[in-house]
Amino acid sequence: LKPSPFIMVMESLREIDIGQWDGKSKEEVEKLFPEEHEEWQEGILEPTFRFTGGESMEEVQKRIKKCFHNIKRIWLGNKEEKFQDIIVIAHSGVNIMILSEIISIEMKTYGFRTFKQDNTCVNIIGFREKNCWHPELQILLVNSTHHLSSMVK
């Protein structure tokens, strides 16, 4: 990174609002919301799946998709050398939605769990030139935790 990177906080990249599940243990969630918990555990998530008091999967997907398209616009519209790289720091649910958007996976059944995202993992998304004028997204790296290996001794 350059010494003075341009930083933008994008509220739309916040993690999924899990409503009344927030702050509760797995056991508490299982007891208080048995049907939702079972759906979540099975991975059968229709776009209408909603956490009690939180967001539906469809709302999350729309929010993150719109934000990701804004990021792409910033990335592609940038003509200055100093802003060629963009780093997005987000939670696993957000990362999964972005990766799914790139390869056009529907967010139902097991779509949400298609990508594994460990804590602090790195994903790299790049553009490659297509027809010399139309950039194409390309997933270069997914779920790398290589940077953590130097911390383990």
Side-chain angles (χ1 to χ4, degrees), residues 6-24:
F6 175 70
I7 298 174
M8 275 175 45
V9 175
M10 301 179 108
E11 178 62 24
S12 295
L13 288 180
R14 69 186 178 280
E15 181 63 301
I16 299 167
D17 179 356
I18 60 173
Q20 294 178 21
W21 288 32
D22 198 22
K24 293 182 176 50

Side-chain angles (χ1 to χ4, degrees), residues 25 34 40 43 72 74 98 135:
S25 69
W40 181 253
K72 286 194 305 186
I74 292 166
I98 289 171

